Amino acid sequence: MGECSVRPLTANEIPHPKLSVTGKLVKRKLTEISEHYPDVFVEMSCIMPDHVHIIIKIEKQPKNGRTLFAPTSETPTLSRVIKHFKEAVTKELGYSIWQKSFYDTIIKNRKQHAEIRQYIANNPAKYVKIAFDEQDMK
């Protein structure tokens, strides 16, 4: 599995919303996560006008799946990575665009991983379709 930020669209699909200046900043800061945390990889992301989907892989994990020690800068938690990512975007913008918390799911198996990847890949087309449908109703 490789990194994927936006999937290519076919000629029959609705185009992906273009990134705003803020969206481009978010994208850049996502690519910088691995620079700050070498064992953390953004496997896939999708930046939408009002939310972001990210699949993050943290390589350095205990063998039995349980953390038996306090996290250090060498063993970042997901909360720490997201906190620093949000802070970096906020600092550069000069104001916050974020809600206080975030929704996370631990991906437990390959089937769930494939389903989440598909959901993220399809999200832009669904978002644009909803926008067009709402415009038609006016």
Side-chain angles (χ1 to χ4, degrees), residues 56-106:
I56 291 180
K57 185 173 185 181
I58 300 176
E59 289 288 329
K60 197 179 236 181
Q61 293 292 322
K63 290 183 183 190
N64 65 0
R66 295 183 61 203
T67 302
L68 301 175
F69 49 85
T72 66
S73 60
E74 295 171 12
T75 58
T77 63
L78 179 61
S79 292
R80 180 178 287 166
V81 172
I82 297 298
K83 178 181 182 281
H84 287 159
F85 161 69
K86 289 168 135 183
E87 286 175 347
V89 172
T90 298
K91 183 176 181 182
E92 193 155 326
L93 279 177
Y95 58 92
S96 179
I97 59 171
W98 307 111
Q99 295 179 355
K100 288 186 179 188
S101 60
F102 62 93
Y103 175 79
D104 65 329
T105 300
I106 296 173

mmCIF file of all heavy atoms in Angstrom, residues 56-106:
data_model
loop_
_atom_site.group_PDB
_atom_site.id
_atom_site.type_symbol
_atom_site.label_atom_id
_atom_site.label_comp_id
_atom_site.label_asym_id
_atom_site.label_seq_id
_atom_site.Cartn_x
_atom_site.Cartn_y
_atom_site.Cartn_z
ATOM 1 N N ILE A 56 -3.380 7.489 8.952
ATOM 2 C CA ILE A 56 -2.031 7.637 9.496
ATOM 3 C C ILE A 56 -1.558 6.287 9.992
ATOM 4 O O ILE A 56 -2.294 5.578 10.676
ATOM 5 C CB ILE A 56 -2.019 8.669 10.647
ATOM 6 C CG1 ILE A 56 -2.277 10.072 10.090
ATOM 7 C CG2 ILE A 56 -0.692 8.607 11.404
ATOM 8 C CD1 ILE A 56 -2.273 11.154 11.131
ATOM 9 N N LYS A 57 -0.338 5.957 9.639
ATOM 10 C CA LYS A 57 0.262 4.706 10.106
ATOM 11 C C LYS A 57 1.433 5.059 11.013
ATOM 12 O O LYS A 57 2.333 5.800 10.613
ATOM 13 C CB LYS A 57 0.732 3.875 8.913
ATOM 14 C CG LYS A 57 1.252 2.524 9.299
ATOM 15 C CD LYS A 57 1.535 1.696 8.062
ATOM 16 C CE LYS A 57 1.953 0.296 8.473
ATOM 17 N NZ LYS A 57 2.246 -0.523 7.310
ATOM 18 N N ILE A 58 1.405 4.533 12.231
ATOM 19 C CA ILE A 58 2.510 4.716 13.170
ATOM 20 C C ILE A 58 3.262 3.396 13.208
ATOM 21 O O ILE A 58 2.729 2.379 13.638
ATOM 22 C CB ILE A 58 2.001 5.133 14.567
ATOM 23 C CG1 ILE A 58 1.215 6.457 14.466
ATOM 24 C CG2 ILE A 58 3.184 5.269 15.537
ATOM 25 C CD1 ILE A 58 0.583 6.919 15.757
ATOM 26 N N GLU A 59 4.498 3.408 12.726
ATOM 27 C CA GLU A 59 5.276 2.182 12.573
ATOM 28 C C GLU A 59 5.759 1.610 13.902
ATOM 29 O O GLU A 59 5.755 0.405 14.087
ATOM 30 C CB GLU A 59 6.497 2.440 11.677
ATOM 31 C CG GLU A 59 6.144 2.651 10.234
ATOM 32 C CD GLU A 59 5.709 1.372 9.548
ATOM 33 O OE1 GLU A 59 6.186 0.285 9.907
ATOM 34 O OE2 GLU A 59 4.870 1.467 8.648
ATOM 35 N N LYS A 60 6.203 2.457 14.785
ATOM 36 C CA LYS A 60 6.813 1.975 16.026
ATOM 37 C C LYS A 60 5.715 1.672 17.039
ATOM 38 O O LYS A 60 5.187 2.558 17.682
ATOM 39 C CB LYS A 60 7.763 3.038 16.577
ATOM 40 C CG LYS A 60 8.727 2.523 17.603
ATOM 41 C CD LYS A 60 9.626 3.646 18.045
ATOM 42 C CE LYS A 60 11.062 3.263 17.839
ATOM 43 N NZ LYS A 60 11.973 4.301 18.279
ATOM 44 N N GLN A 61 5.373 0.407 17.150
ATOM 45 C CA GLN A 61 4.330 -0.041 18.068
ATOM 46 C C GLN A 61 4.871 -1.189 18.917
ATOM 47 O O GLN A 61 5.693 -1.974 18.440
ATOM 48 C CB GLN A 61 3.094 -0.524 17.298
ATOM 49 C CG GLN A 61 2.363 0.564 16.563
ATOM 50 C CD GLN A 61 1.700 1.536 17.521
ATOM 51 O OE1 GLN A 61 1.173 1.173 18.549
ATOM 52 N NE2 GLN A 61 1.737 2.799 17.162
ATOM 53 N N PRO A 62 4.390 -1.321 20.134
ATOM 54 C CA PRO A 62 4.795 -2.467 20.953
ATOM 55 C C PRO A 62 4.343 -3.774 20.303
ATOM 56 O O PRO A 62 3.318 -3.797 19.622
ATOM 57 C CB PRO A 62 4.054 -2.253 22.272
ATOM 58 C CG PRO A 62 3.469 -0.886 22.209
ATOM 59 C CD PRO A 62 3.482 -0.435 20.797
ATOM 60 N N LYS A 63 5.095 -4.839 20.503
ATOM 61 C CA LYS A 63 4.789 -6.122 19.854
ATOM 62 C C LYS A 63 3.452 -6.701 20.267
ATOM 63 O O LYS A 63 2.765 -7.308 19.488
ATOM 64 C CB LYS A 63 5.901 -7.114 20.128
ATOM 65 C CG LYS A 63 7.170 -6.742 19.405
ATOM 66 C CD LYS A 63 8.253 -7.744 19.595
ATOM 67 C CE LYS A 63 9.488 -7.212 18.890
ATOM 68 N NZ LYS A 63 10.543 -8.101 18.758
ATOM 69 N N ASN A 64 3.043 -6.508 21.526
ATOM 70 C CA ASN A 64 1.788 -7.093 21.977
ATOM 71 C C ASN A 64 0.596 -6.157 21.774
ATOM 72 O O ASN A 64 -0.517 -6.471 22.186
ATOM 73 C CB ASN A 64 1.879 -7.528 23.441
ATOM 74 C CG ASN A 64 2.064 -6.359 24.388
ATOM 75 O OD1 ASN A 64 2.121 -5.204 23.965
ATOM 76 N ND2 ASN A 64 2.176 -6.645 25.657
ATOM 77 N N GLY A 65 0.822 -4.987 21.163
ATOM 78 C CA GLY A 65 -0.262 -4.062 20.866
ATOM 79 C C GLY A 65 -0.616 -3.118 21.997
ATOM 80 O O GLY A 65 -1.449 -2.247 21.837
ATOM 81 N N ARG A 66 0.021 -3.272 23.152
ATOM 82 C CA ARG A 66 -0.277 -2.408 24.291
ATOM 83 C C ARG A 66 0.921 -1.534 24.596
ATOM 84 O O ARG A 66 2.051 -1.999 24.625
ATOM 85 C CB ARG A 66 -0.616 -3.245 25.525
ATOM 86 C CG ARG A 66 -1.883 -4.038 25.336
ATOM 87 C CD ARG A 66 -2.245 -4.798 26.566
ATOM 88 N NE ARG A 66 -2.471 -3.874 27.655
ATOM 89 C CZ ARG A 66 -2.373 -4.207 28.938
ATOM 90 N NH1 ARG A 66 -2.061 -5.425 29.282
ATOM 91 N NH2 ARG A 66 -2.588 -3.313 29.877
ATOM 92 N N THR A 67 0.659 -0.265 24.868
ATOM 93 C CA THR A 67 1.715 0.647 25.258
ATOM 94 C C THR A 67 1.935 0.494 26.756
ATOM 95 O O THR A 67 1.033 0.756 27.547
ATOM 96 C CB THR A 67 1.346 2.103 24.915
ATOM 97 O OG1 THR A 67 1.108 2.171 23.528
ATOM 98 C CG2 THR A 67 2.448 3.062 25.290
ATOM 99 N N LEU A 68 3.111 0.065 27.135
ATOM 100 C CA LEU A 68 3.421 -0.153 28.543
ATOM 101 C C LEU A 68 4.350 0.928 29.094
ATOM 102 O O LEU A 68 4.926 0.773 30.147
ATOM 103 C CB LEU A 68 4.061 -1.536 28.727
ATOM 104 C CG LEU A 68 3.206 -2.708 28.272
ATOM 105 C CD1 LEU A 68 3.990 -4.001 28.389
ATOM 106 C CD2 LEU A 68 1.932 -2.788 29.092
ATOM 107 N N PHE A 69 4.482 2.006 28.371
ATOM 108 C CA PHE A 69 5.367 3.080 28.772
ATOM 109 C C PHE A 69 4.762 4.407 28.343
ATOM 110 O O PHE A 69 3.911 4.451 27.476
ATOM 111 C CB PHE A 69 6.755 2.903 28.147
ATOM 112 C CG PHE A 69 6.682 2.631 26.658
ATOM 113 C CD1 PHE A 69 6.606 3.671 25.759
ATOM 114 C CD2 PHE A 69 6.657 1.328 26.185
ATOM 115 C CE1 PHE A 69 6.513 3.420 24.392
ATOM 116 C CE2 PHE A 69 6.570 1.076 24.820
ATOM 117 C CZ PHE A 69 6.499 2.124 23.934
ATOM 118 N N ALA A 70 5.215 5.474 28.971
ATOM 119 C CA ALA A 70 4.737 6.802 28.595
ATOM 120 C C ALA A 70 5.310 7.168 27.237
ATOM 121 O O ALA A 70 6.490 6.923 26.977
ATOM 122 C CB ALA A 70 5.155 7.828 29.639
ATOM 123 N N PRO A 71 4.498 7.740 26.348
ATOM 124 C CA PRO A 71 5.013 8.125 25.029
ATOM 125 C C PRO A 71 6.108 9.183 25.151
ATOM 126 O O PRO A 71 6.058 10.035 26.019
ATOM 127 C CB PRO A 71 3.792 8.702 24.321
ATOM 128 C CG PRO A 71 2.624 8.268 25.108
ATOM 129 C CD PRO A 71 3.094 8.017 26.506
ATOM 130 N N THR A 72 7.085 9.092 24.298
ATOM 131 C CA THR A 72 8.136 10.098 24.220
ATOM 132 C C THR A 72 8.105 10.672 22.817
ATOM 133 O O THR A 72 7.302 10.256 21.981
ATOM 134 C CB THR A 72 9.519 9.472 24.476
ATOM 135 O OG1 THR A 72 9.808 8.581 23.399
ATOM 136 C CG2 THR A 72 9.568 8.730 25.797
ATOM 137 N N SER A 73 9.002 11.595 22.527
ATOM 138 C CA SER A 73 9.052 12.145 21.169
ATOM 139 C C SER A 73 9.407 11.057 20.164
ATOM 140 O O SER A 73 9.136 11.184 18.985
ATOM 141 C CB SER A 73 10.053 13.294 21.095
ATOM 142 O OG SER A 73 11.338 12.828 21.435
ATOM 143 N N GLU A 74 10.015 9.958 20.641
ATOM 144 C CA GLU A 74 10.364 8.851 19.755
ATOM 145 C C GLU A 74 9.179 7.921 19.499
ATOM 146 O O GLU A 74 9.185 7.166 18.545
ATOM 147 C CB GLU A 74 11.531 8.065 20.356
ATOM 148 C CG GLU A 74 12.799 8.884 20.442
ATOM 149 C CD GLU A 74 13.880 8.172 21.232
ATOM 150 O OE1 GLU A 74 13.732 6.973 21.515
ATOM 151 O OE2 GLU A 74 14.873 8.825 21.564
ATOM 152 N N THR A 75 8.188 7.936 20.385
ATOM 153 C CA THR A 75 7.012 7.073 20.233
ATOM 154 C C THR A 75 5.751 7.936 20.316
ATOM 155 O O THR A 75 5.059 7.950 21.322
ATOM 156 C CB THR A 75 6.970 5.998 21.334
ATOM 157 O OG1 THR A 75 6.970 6.642 22.608
ATOM 158 C CG2 THR A 75 8.111 5.037 21.215
ATOM 159 N N PRO A 76 5.452 8.676 19.258
ATOM 160 C CA PRO A 76 4.327 9.604 19.319
ATOM 161 C C PRO A 76 2.973 8.887 19.351
ATOM 162 O O PRO A 76 2.815 7.821 18.759
ATOM 163 C CB PRO A 76 4.470 10.407 18.028
ATOM 164 C CG PRO A 76 5.156 9.469 17.092
ATOM 165 C CD PRO A 76 6.093 8.664 17.957
ATOM 166 N N THR A 77 2.042 9.472 20.051
ATOM 167 C CA THR A 77 0.673 8.977 20.018
ATOM 168 C C THR A 77 -0.053 9.657 18.866
ATOM 169 O O THR A 77 0.373 10.711 18.380
ATOM 170 C CB THR A 77 -0.060 9.305 21.324
ATOM 171 O OG1 THR A 77 -0.149 10.733 21.452
ATOM 172 C CG2 THR A 77 0.651 8.710 22.529
ATOM 173 N N LEU A 78 -1.156 9.073 18.458
ATOM 174 C CA LEU A 78 -1.968 9.699 17.419
ATOM 175 C C LEU A 78 -2.436 11.079 17.879
ATOM 176 O O LEU A 78 -2.403 12.042 17.106
ATOM 177 C CB LEU A 78 -3.174 8.816 17.065
ATOM 178 C CG LEU A 78 -4.110 9.373 16.004
ATOM 179 C CD1 LEU A 78 -3.376 9.577 14.678
ATOM 180 C CD2 LEU A 78 -5.301 8.448 15.812
ATOM 181 N N SER A 79 -2.833 11.198 19.135
ATOM 182 C CA SER A 79 -3.288 12.491 19.665
ATOM 183 C C SER A 79 -2.198 13.549 19.557
ATOM 184 O O SER A 79 -2.463 14.691 19.193
ATOM 185 C CB SER A 79 -3.725 12.353 21.123
ATOM 186 O OG SER A 79 -4.889 11.582 21.207
ATOM 187 N N ARG A 80 -0.959 13.157 19.865
ATOM 188 C CA ARG A 80 0.153 14.108 19.785
ATOM 189 C C ARG A 80 0.398 14.535 18.330
ATOM 190 O O ARG A 80 0.601 15.718 18.041
ATOM 191 C CB ARG A 80 1.418 13.496 20.367
ATOM 192 C CG ARG A 80 2.603 14.470 20.288
ATOM 193 C CD ARG A 80 3.839 13.899 20.896
ATOM 194 N NE ARG A 80 3.661 13.895 22.341
ATOM 195 C CZ ARG A 80 4.443 13.227 23.172
ATOM 196 N NH1 ARG A 80 5.443 12.505 22.717
ATOM 197 N NH2 ARG A 80 4.246 13.281 24.461
ATOM 198 N N VAL A 81 0.366 13.593 17.417
ATOM 199 C CA VAL A 81 0.591 13.903 15.998
ATOM 200 C C VAL A 81 -0.481 14.862 15.490
ATOM 201 O O VAL A 81 -0.176 15.883 14.853
ATOM 202 C CB VAL A 81 0.622 12.612 15.151
ATOM 203 C CG1 VAL A 81 0.654 12.928 13.660
ATOM 204 C CG2 VAL A 81 1.814 11.739 15.540
ATOM 205 N N ILE A 82 -1.748 14.558 15.770
ATOM 206 C CA ILE A 82 -2.847 15.419 15.311
ATOM 207 C C ILE A 82 -2.772 16.796 15.969
ATOM 208 O O ILE A 82 -2.966 17.818 15.311
ATOM 209 C CB ILE A 82 -4.211 14.752 15.576
ATOM 210 C CG1 ILE A 82 -4.341 13.458 14.776
ATOM 211 C CG2 ILE A 82 -5.361 15.710 15.278
ATOM 212 C CD1 ILE A 82 -4.291 13.629 13.266
ATOM 213 N N LYS A 83 -2.457 16.843 17.261
ATOM 214 C CA LYS A 83 -2.323 18.119 17.977
ATOM 215 C C LYS A 83 -1.265 18.993 17.310
ATOM 216 O O LYS A 83 -1.495 20.172 17.024
ATOM 217 C CB LYS A 83 -1.966 17.865 19.439
ATOM 218 C CG LYS A 83 -1.754 19.124 20.266
ATOM 219 C CD LYS A 83 -1.379 18.737 21.703
ATOM 220 C CE LYS A 83 -1.213 19.938 22.583
ATOM 221 N NZ LYS A 83 0.053 20.619 22.430
ATOM 222 N N HIS A 84 -0.099 18.427 17.044
ATOM 223 C CA HIS A 84 0.981 19.202 16.418
ATOM 224 C C HIS A 84 0.634 19.614 14.987
ATOM 225 O O HIS A 84 0.966 20.723 14.562
ATOM 226 C CB HIS A 84 2.292 18.427 16.464
ATOM 227 C CG HIS A 84 2.887 18.360 17.830
ATOM 228 N ND1 HIS A 84 3.787 17.418 18.208
ATOM 229 C CD2 HIS A 84 2.684 19.129 18.939
ATOM 230 C CE1 HIS A 84 4.135 17.599 19.470
ATOM 231 N NE2 HIS A 84 3.465 18.625 19.936
ATOM 232 N N PHE A 85 -0.026 18.733 14.257
ATOM 233 C CA PHE A 85 -0.465 19.061 12.897
ATOM 234 C C PHE A 85 -1.433 20.258 12.922
ATOM 235 O O PHE A 85 -1.261 21.227 12.188
ATOM 236 C CB PHE A 85 -1.128 17.829 12.262
ATOM 237 C CG PHE A 85 -2.000 18.129 11.081
ATOM 238 C CD1 PHE A 85 -1.463 18.568 9.885
ATOM 239 C CD2 PHE A 85 -3.378 17.969 11.165
ATOM 240 C CE1 PHE A 85 -2.276 18.846 8.786
ATOM 241 C CE2 PHE A 85 -4.194 18.237 10.077
ATOM 242 C CZ PHE A 85 -3.641 18.674 8.893
ATOM 243 N N LYS A 86 -2.435 20.193 13.799
ATOM 244 C CA LYS A 86 -3.405 21.293 13.899
ATOM 245 C C LYS A 86 -2.736 22.596 14.347
ATOM 246 O O LYS A 86 -3.050 23.674 13.833
ATOM 247 C CB LYS A 86 -4.517 20.930 14.889
ATOM 248 C CG LYS A 86 -5.476 19.863 14.385
ATOM 249 C CD LYS A 86 -6.331 19.377 15.543
ATOM 250 C CE LYS A 86 -7.770 19.264 15.227
ATOM 251 N NZ LYS A 86 -8.574 18.861 16.390
ATOM 252 N N GLU A 87 -1.802 22.482 15.306
ATOM 253 C CA GLU A 87 -1.080 23.666 15.778
ATOM 254 C C GLU A 87 -0.253 24.295 14.661
ATOM 255 O O GLU A 87 -0.185 25.526 14.551
ATOM 256 C CB GLU A 87 -0.165 23.301 16.952
ATOM 257 C CG GLU A 87 -0.903 23.066 18.241
ATOM 258 C CD GLU A 87 0.011 22.573 19.366
ATOM 259 O OE1 GLU A 87 1.179 22.170 19.090
ATOM 260 O OE2 GLU A 87 -0.453 22.564 20.514
ATOM 261 N N ALA A 88 0.390 23.481 13.835
ATOM 262 C CA ALA A 88 1.225 24.000 12.743
ATOM 263 C C ALA A 88 0.369 24.774 11.739
ATOM 264 O O ALA A 88 0.763 25.857 11.278
ATOM 265 C CB ALA A 88 1.968 22.858 12.051
ATOM 266 N N VAL A 89 -0.805 24.232 11.403
ATOM 267 C CA VAL A 89 -1.708 24.927 10.475
ATOM 268 C C VAL A 89 -2.197 26.224 11.106
ATOM 269 O O VAL A 89 -2.175 27.292 10.477
ATOM 270 C CB VAL A 89 -2.901 24.017 10.079
ATOM 271 C CG1 VAL A 89 -3.940 24.802 9.282
ATOM 272 C CG2 VAL A 89 -2.417 22.808 9.287
ATOM 273 N N THR A 90 -2.616 26.166 12.367
ATOM 274 C CA THR A 90 -3.132 27.348 13.075
ATOM 275 C C THR A 90 -2.075 28.438 13.165
ATOM 276 O O THR A 90 -2.361 29.614 12.922
ATOM 277 C CB THR A 90 -3.613 26.949 14.487
ATOM 278 O OG1 THR A 90 -4.689 26.012 14.346
ATOM 279 C CG2 THR A 90 -4.085 28.157 15.277
ATOM 280 N N LYS A 91 -0.838 28.047 13.496
ATOM 281 C CA LYS A 91 0.249 29.030 13.633
ATOM 282 C C LYS A 91 0.491 29.760 12.319
ATOM 283 O O LYS A 91 0.624 30.981 12.293
ATOM 284 C CB LYS A 91 1.528 28.330 14.099
ATOM 285 C CG LYS A 91 2.667 29.276 14.342
ATOM 286 C CD LYS A 91 3.880 28.539 14.883
ATOM 287 C CE LYS A 91 5.009 29.517 15.131
ATOM 288 N NZ LYS A 91 6.218 28.855 15.609
ATOM 289 N N GLU A 92 0.510 29.026 11.225
ATOM 290 C CA GLU A 92 0.778 29.663 9.933
ATOM 291 C C GLU A 92 -0.400 30.526 9.468
ATOM 292 O O GLU A 92 -0.207 31.583 8.877
ATOM 293 C CB GLU A 92 1.133 28.623 8.878
ATOM 294 C CG GLU A 92 1.722 29.273 7.646
ATOM 295 C CD GLU A 92 2.615 28.351 6.855
ATOM 296 O OE1 GLU A 92 3.308 27.499 7.447
ATOM 297 O OE2 GLU A 92 2.619 28.501 5.627
ATOM 298 N N LEU A 93 -1.628 30.075 9.748
ATOM 299 C CA LEU A 93 -2.810 30.865 9.358
ATOM 300 C C LEU A 93 -2.997 32.097 10.233
ATOM 301 O O LEU A 93 -3.509 33.115 9.783
ATOM 302 C CB LEU A 93 -4.082 30.017 9.469
ATOM 303 C CG LEU A 93 -4.417 29.069 8.348
ATOM 304 C CD1 LEU A 93 -5.666 28.271 8.693
ATOM 305 C CD2 LEU A 93 -4.605 29.805 7.037
ATOM 306 N N GLY A 94 -2.631 31.960 11.513
ATOM 307 C CA GLY A 94 -2.857 33.048 12.466
ATOM 308 C C GLY A 94 -4.195 32.923 13.188
ATOM 309 O O GLY A 94 -4.544 33.757 14.015
ATOM 310 N N TYR A 95 -4.940 31.875 12.888
ATOM 311 C CA TYR A 95 -6.217 31.601 13.565
ATOM 312 C C TYR A 95 -6.535 30.118 13.375
ATOM 313 O O TYR A 95 -6.005 29.463 12.482
ATOM 314 C CB TYR A 95 -7.350 32.468 13.018
ATOM 315 C CG TYR A 95 -7.583 32.312 11.532
ATOM 316 C CD1 TYR A 95 -8.498 31.389 11.040
ATOM 317 C CD2 TYR A 95 -6.883 33.097 10.611
ATOM 318 C CE1 TYR A 95 -8.703 31.240 9.675
ATOM 319 C CE2 TYR A 95 -7.086 32.954 9.248
ATOM 320 C CZ TYR A 95 -7.998 32.031 8.788
ATOM 321 O OH TYR A 95 -8.207 31.879 7.437
ATOM 322 N N SER A 96 -7.422 29.613 14.233
ATOM 323 C CA SER A 96 -7.734 28.189 14.171
ATOM 324 C C SER A 96 -8.935 27.916 13.269
ATOM 325 O O SER A 96 -9.914 28.670 13.278
ATOM 326 C CB SER A 96 -8.035 27.649 15.574
ATOM 327 O OG SER A 96 -8.352 26.264 15.497
ATOM 328 N N ILE A 97 -8.856 26.839 12.528
ATOM 329 C CA ILE A 97 -9.973 26.375 11.703
ATOM 330 C C ILE A 97 -10.531 25.064 12.244
ATOM 331 O O ILE A 97 -11.431 24.485 11.655
ATOM 332 C CB ILE A 97 -9.536 26.178 10.233
ATOM 333 C CG1 ILE A 97 -8.398 25.148 10.145
ATOM 334 C CG2 ILE A 97 -9.159 27.502 9.602
ATOM 335 C CD1 ILE A 97 -8.042 24.715 8.731
ATOM 336 N N TRP A 98 -9.978 24.590 13.356
ATOM 337 C CA TRP A 98 -10.242 23.245 13.840
ATOM 338 C C TRP A 98 -11.263 23.200 14.969
ATOM 339 O O TRP A 98 -11.337 24.107 15.784
ATOM 340 C CB TRP A 98 -8.953 22.603 14.355
ATOM 341 C CG TRP A 98 -7.839 22.646 13.370
ATOM 342 C CD1 TRP A 98 -6.695 23.387 13.465
ATOM 343 C CD2 TRP A 98 -7.746 21.935 12.137
ATOM 344 N NE1 TRP A 98 -5.903 23.163 12.367
ATOM 345 C CE2 TRP A 98 -6.530 22.277 11.540
ATOM 346 C CE3 TRP A 98 -8.584 21.032 11.488
ATOM 347 C CZ2 TRP A 98 -6.110 21.750 10.320
ATOM 348 C CZ3 TRP A 98 -8.181 20.513 10.271
ATOM 349 C CH2 TRP A 98 -6.958 20.873 9.701
ATOM 350 N N GLN A 99 -11.983 22.085 15.039
ATOM 351 C CA GLN A 99 -12.757 21.763 16.230
ATOM 352 C C GLN A 99 -11.768 21.283 17.284
ATOM 353 O O GLN A 99 -10.630 20.932 16.970
ATOM 354 C CB GLN A 99 -13.770 20.665 15.936
ATOM 355 C CG GLN A 99 -14.833 21.085 14.947
ATOM 356 C CD GLN A 99 -15.820 19.952 14.657
ATOM 357 O OE1 GLN A 99 -15.663 18.831 15.127
ATOM 358 N NE2 GLN A 99 -16.819 20.262 13.868
ATOM 359 N N LYS A 100 -12.220 21.234 18.537
ATOM 360 C CA LYS A 100 -11.294 20.854 19.614
ATOM 361 C C LYS A 100 -10.812 19.419 19.513
ATOM 362 O O LYS A 100 -9.680 19.117 19.828
ATOM 363 C CB LYS A 100 -11.953 21.081 20.975
ATOM 364 C CG LYS A 100 -12.073 22.533 21.315
ATOM 365 C CD LYS A 100 -12.580 22.727 22.715
ATOM 366 C CE LYS A 100 -12.665 24.220 22.998
ATOM 367 N NZ LYS A 100 -12.960 24.498 24.369
ATOM 368 N N SER A 101 -11.652 18.503 19.118
ATOM 369 C CA SER A 101 -11.256 17.101 19.104
ATOM 370 C C SER A 101 -11.230 16.577 17.670
ATOM 371 O O SER A 101 -11.345 17.344 16.715
ATOM 372 C CB SER A 101 -12.217 16.279 19.956
ATOM 373 O OG SER A 101 -13.526 16.385 19.438
ATOM 374 N N PHE A 102 -11.098 15.274 17.545
ATOM 375 C CA PHE A 102 -11.140 14.646 16.227
ATOM 376 C C PHE A 102 -11.734 13.258 16.395
ATOM 377 O O PHE A 102 -11.765 12.696 17.484
ATOM 378 C CB PHE A 102 -9.754 14.581 15.573
ATOM 379 C CG PHE A 102 -8.738 13.770 16.336
ATOM 380 C CD1 PHE A 102 -8.538 12.424 16.045
ATOM 381 C CD2 PHE A 102 -7.975 14.334 17.347
ATOM 382 C CE1 PHE A 102 -7.606 11.680 16.736
ATOM 383 C CE2 PHE A 102 -7.041 13.605 18.042
ATOM 384 C CZ PHE A 102 -6.853 12.262 17.738
ATOM 385 N N TYR A 103 -12.215 12.703 15.304
ATOM 386 C CA TYR A 103 -12.795 11.370 15.305
ATOM 387 C C TYR A 103 -11.757 10.411 14.761
ATOM 388 O O TYR A 103 -11.196 10.649 13.698
ATOM 389 C CB TYR A 103 -14.052 11.352 14.438
ATOM 390 C CG TYR A 103 -14.655 9.987 14.283
ATOM 391 C CD1 TYR A 103 -15.433 9.426 15.286
ATOM 392 C CD2 TYR A 103 -14.428 9.242 13.136
ATOM 393 C CE1 TYR A 103 -15.974 8.176 15.152
ATOM 394 C CE2 TYR A 103 -14.969 7.979 12.990
ATOM 395 C CZ TYR A 103 -15.738 7.452 14.001
ATOM 396 O OH TYR A 103 -16.268 6.197 13.866
ATOM 397 N N ASP A 104 -11.500 9.344 15.501
ATOM 398 C CA ASP A 104 -10.526 8.374 15.004
ATOM 399 C C ASP A 104 -11.092 6.962 15.082
ATOM 400 O O ASP A 104 -11.996 6.679 15.864
ATOM 401 C CB ASP A 104 -9.202 8.463 15.766
ATOM 402 C CG ASP A 104 -9.338 8.089 17.232
ATOM 403 O OD1 ASP A 104 -10.399 8.317 17.813
ATOM 404 O OD2 ASP A 104 -8.363 7.576 17.809
ATOM 405 N N THR A 105 -10.574 6.129 14.225
ATOM 406 C CA THR A 105 -10.929 4.719 14.178
ATOM 407 C C THR A 105 -9.646 3.923 14.045
ATOM 408 O O THR A 105 -8.808 4.251 13.204
ATOM 409 C CB THR A 105 -11.825 4.418 12.948
ATOM 410 O OG1 THR A 105 -13.016 5.196 13.043
ATOM 411 C CG2 THR A 105 -12.171 2.956 12.860
ATOM 412 N N ILE A 106 -9.500 2.908 14.868
ATOM 413 C CA ILE A 106 -8.362 2.006 14.710
ATOM 414 C C ILE A 106 -8.752 0.984 13.649
ATOM 415 O O ILE A 106 -9.776 0.312 13.771
ATOM 416 C CB ILE A 106 -8.008 1.316 16.035
ATOM 417 C CG1 ILE A 106 -7.556 2.371 17.045
ATOM 418 C CG2 ILE A 106 -6.928 0.253 15.812
ATOM 419 C CD1 ILE A 106 -7.347 1.829 18.439
#
